[in-house]
Amino acid sequence: MVFHDKLISMQCLALDLGRKHTGVAFADAEVDIALPLDTIHHETEEELLEALEKIVDERQITTIVLGLPYLSSGEEGEQVEYVRDVALKIKEACPSCTIQFLDERQTNKTDAKTKSEDDNAQAAVTLLQVFLERAV
């Protein structure tokens, strides 16, 4: 119950991290609905971090959820290492935010493949919706 009380005050952001395109979704945990934001198109991690800092400040984000794309065997591959590395940089850039990880295998990828102009943002919505459902 205490966790739920903390959840109520959370402003959450989910990221489907990519090396050039990062899908973004936002939710006020009180409302419990994940909404897509514009995908961040970036050439460098610095560009990504600058864009994230702006979103975190504008939306008063308290929690950032990152998907971990484990291999089907359950092992960590190169992309998981990349996500963990970027997570450390996000924490440095946004020290007031809590970073949460979610195993992407726990999301139903077919949900993320609904007709959408922005598959990156839709993947972030799916991550955030699963996170919110499990946090309550």
Side-chain angles (χ1 to χ4, degrees):
M1 189 67 161
V2 174
F3 181 72
H4 179 66
D5 290 342
K6 286 183 181 178
L7 183 66
I8 289 174
S9 64
M10 279 200 298
Q11 302 283 8
C12 301
L13 198 68
L15 304 175
D16 183 47
L17 281 174
R19 295 185 189 270
K20 300 288 182 191
H21 310 283
T22 296
V24 184
F26 167 78
D28 179 332
E30 188 173 337
V31 178
D32 213 25
I33 297 172
L35 302 171
L37 298 180
D38 291 337
T39 289
I40 300 170
H41 302 282
H42 49 91
E43 292 296 319
T44 65
E45 288 177 4
E46 290 76 23
E47 289 178 4
L48 171 63
L49 294 172
E50 287 175 16
L52 285 176
E53 286 178 272
K54 184 177 178 183
I55 295 169
V56 166
D57 288 341
E58 288 175 353
R59 296 188 178 262
Q60 300 177 337
I61 301 299
T62 57
T63 301
I64 299 174
V65 180
L66 302 173
L68 290 177
Y70 286 102
L71 301 174
S72 58
S73 65
E75 295 177 351
E76 293 189 6
E78 183 180 318
Q79 190 63 16
V80 170
E81 290 177 28
Y82 173 73
V83 170
R84 290 189 188 282
D85 180 55
V86 173
L88 292 173
K89 295 173 183 173
I90 292 171
K91 186 62 179 171
E92 285 180 21
C94 307
S96 63
C97 292
T98 299
I99 306 293
Q100 298 282 337
F101 295 99
L102 182 66
D103 182 347
E104 288 185 1
R105 296 173 303 162
Q106 297 174 0
T107 65
N108 185 344
K109 290 296 181 180
T110 57
D111 289 346
K113 295 298 179 193
T114 58
K115 278 203 169 201
S116 170
E117 291 181 20
D118 190 344
D119 288 339
N120 296 304
Q122 190 58 47
V125 166
T126 301
L127 279 171
L128 189 50
Q129 200 62 51
V130 169
F131 173 79
L132 292 170
E133 289 168 3
R134 292 180 181 197
V136 178

